[in-house]
């Protein structure tokens, strides 16, 4: 497994990370044994960066990872943890809490659920509009000074917020959605990261399966699968977006790789300061994703991909309207 360093101050991690959200019901029911086996397979393949959040399954994901990671040397993997999203039973969301006291309380719960003494990268999932980012990051800095957190990250914030946070404490990386069909970070956010020496962990590199090559016309999301409410998967939008995938498949076939591998490789090719996160919840999907780190895209390949899926070509927002306002960047 190749490695990449997250910014000037962040950890050196595997060139491909594992996002664990799908293992806790985000896309419908998942198999616990298969999820654990997938984590094991990822670690055995050299994946070191594992991303979770305390609100994935409202603690379920952290407990699952604690079981999966038990017995593994703690220095053989890095835990990236998001916090701050508020939800009640039935997953009714109430917003974000970035108050310093809440930050430290969230961390105490995560350390207990994960069964660890420290978190490698700790980050607010979204910016709390009622709390200055300086206060939220300042609270994490206190946790760094106390040894409970190794690095500070951000998630889904704009360039101004990045600068303000970085002035309080060096930021290791920004976690943000970045894919062939989600490129809003390119004009301002990505240049800001590179100016400040901050890395990126890119989630949604397959746009929740939309550009994986496995989602087909007429396919419908099952019970509990939040893609049923995603604008990109509904109505005429999905037909348009799947036509883009068909064009991408032509490029992938010529390259001798799958559509998913091409989409992941494209993200990785945008800079060695970017680590794509793959949200595999089965060993089958993981085994398809892993070879993407060895897919080298030439300038001709990149031009062909750009022609197949031009920037801004996708239809539909990447989140339902109610959640778009919490994002620091758009589509």
């Amino acid at each position: 497994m190749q490695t990449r360093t997250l910014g000037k101050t962040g950890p050196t991690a595997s060139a491909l990370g594992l996002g664990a959200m799908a293992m806790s019901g985000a896309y419908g029911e998942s198999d616990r044994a298969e999820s654990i086996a997938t984590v094991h397979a990822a670690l055995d393949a050299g994946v070191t960066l594992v991303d979770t959040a305390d609100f994935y399954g409202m603690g379920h994901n952290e407990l699952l990872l604690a079981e999966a990671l038990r017995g593994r040397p703690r220095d053989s993997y890095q835990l990236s943890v998001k916090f701050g999203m508020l939800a009640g039973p039935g997953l009714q969301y109430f917003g974000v809490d970035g108050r310093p006291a809440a930050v430290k309380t969230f961390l105490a719960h995560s350390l207990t659920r994960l069964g660890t003494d420290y978190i490698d990268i700790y980050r607010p999932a979204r910016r709390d509009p009622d709390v200055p980012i300086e206060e939220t990051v300042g609270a994490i800095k206190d946790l760094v000074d106390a040894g409970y957190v190794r690095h500070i990250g951000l998630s889904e914030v704009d360039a101004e917020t990045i600068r303000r946070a970085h002035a309080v404490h060096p930021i290791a990386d920004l976690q943000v959605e970045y894919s062939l069909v989600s490129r809003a970070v390119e004009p301002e956010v990505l240049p800001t990261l590179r100016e400040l020496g901050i890395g990126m962990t890119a989630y949604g590199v397959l746009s929740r399966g939309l550009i994986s090559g496995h989602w087909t016309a007429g396919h419908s999301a099952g019970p509990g699968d939040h893609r049923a409410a995603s604008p990109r998967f509904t109505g005429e939008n999905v037909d348009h977006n799947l036509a883009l995938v068909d064009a991408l498949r032509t490029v992938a076939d010529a390259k001798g790789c799958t559509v998913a591998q091409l989409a992941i490789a494209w993200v990785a090719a945008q800079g060695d300061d970017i680590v794509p996160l793959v949200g595999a919840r089965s060993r089958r999907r993981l085994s398809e994703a892993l070879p993407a780190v060895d897919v080298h895209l030439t300038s001709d390949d990149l031009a062909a991909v750009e022609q197949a899926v031009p920037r801004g070509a996708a239809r539909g927002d990447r989140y339902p309207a109610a959640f778009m306002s919490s994002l620091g960047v758009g589509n």
Side-chain angles (χ1 to χ4, degrees):
M1 174 61 67
Q2 303 167 32
T3 60
R4 294 186 170 189
T5 301
L6 290 173
K8 292 180 180 179
T9 64
T12 296
S14 51
L16 195 68
L18 178 66
M21 181 182 74
M23 299 178 183
S24 294
Y27 302 130
E29 187 175 354
S30 57
D31 184 289
R32 185 177 186 85
E34 181 61 23
S35 294
I36 291 173
T38 301
V39 175
H40 290 168
L43 296 173
D44 292 343
V47 172
T48 65
L49 184 63
V50 182
D51 181 75
T52 184
D54 59 11
F55 52 87
Y56 289 170
M58 303 312 291
H60 174 275
N61 203 245
E62 291 180 320
L63 292 169
L64 176 75
L65 288 178
E67 183 176 350
L69 296 169
R70 190 171 298 127
R72 301 274 177 162
R74 182 61 183 87
D75 60 358
S76 68
Y77 60 87
Q78 296 105 12
L79 285 169
S80 167
V81 179
K82 295 181 292 296
F83 69 87
M85 298 289 283
L86 303 177
L91 295 183
Q92 180 182 1
Y93 285 94
F94 303 119
V96 182
D97 193 344
R99 295 172 301 158
V103 171
K104 296 174 182 181
T105 302
F106 289 139
L107 179 75
H109 287 299
S110 287
L111 292 174
T112 299
R113 284 190 292 258
L114 287 163
T116 185
D117 295 327
Y118 67 92
I119 302 299
D120 296 275
I121 311 176
Y122 200 52
R123 70 184 83 241
R126 299 289 186 271
R127 183 182 65 84
D128 185 339
D130 298 321
V131 178
I133 191 64
E134 291 86 353
E135 293 185 14
T136 301
V137 172
I140 309 176
K141 179 183 182 299
D142 291 344
L143 297 168
V144 172
D145 293 341
Y148 296 116
V149 171
R150 296 287 172 87
H151 304 280
I152 301 178
L154 297 171
S155 178
E156 288 288 356
V157 293
D158 60 14
E160 179 189 1
T161 302
I162 294 168
R163 291 184 185 280
R164 289 169 54 192
H166 192 66
V168 176
H169 186 279
I171 301 299
D173 73 310
L174 171 72
Q175 187 173 122
V176 66
E177 185 166 353
Y178 188 39
S179 73
L180 275 167
V181 295
S182 297
R183 298 172 62 176
V185 298
E186 291 180 345
E188 187 176 6
V189 170
L190 189 51
T192 299
L193 296 178
R194 287 172 173 163
E195 174 193 339
L196 299 175
I198 299 171
M200 178 196 291
T201 43
Y203 77 90
V205 293
L206 298 179
S207 193
R208 298 163 183 80
L210 180 63
I211 59 172
S212 67
H214 302 297
W215 195 275
T216 57
H219 183 84
S220 58
D225 190 333
H226 70 71
R227 288 174 292 191
S230 172
R232 289 186 174 173
F233 286 85
T234 56
E236 296 180 355
N237 288 346
V238 71
D239 294 331
H240 170 87
N241 294 333
L242 288 177
L244 298 176
V245 178
D246 288 339
L248 194 62
R249 184 175 284 107
T250 300
V251 182
D253 289 345
K255 189 66 179 175
C257 63
T258 69
V259 174
Q261 290 164 356
L262 181 61
I264 297 167
W266 181 89
V267 174
Q270 302 313 300
D272 59 10
D273 51 355
I274 300 173
V275 174
L277 298 174
V278 177
R281 55 174 168 167
S282 70
R283 285 168 289 181
R284 179 182 178 187
R285 291 288 182 252
L286 176 69
S287 65
E288 179 184 10
L290 289 172
V293 298
D294 296 317
V295 176
H296 173 68
L297 300 182
T298 66
S299 57
D300 288 343
D301 294 331
L302 292 170
V305 170
E306 186 74 25
Q307 183 175 6
V309 187
R311 180 179 164 186
R315 288 185 184 172
D317 288 337
R318 56 189 176 101
Y319 281 97
F323 291 93
M324 289 298 293
S325 62
S326 69
L327 304 177
V329 292
N331 285 319

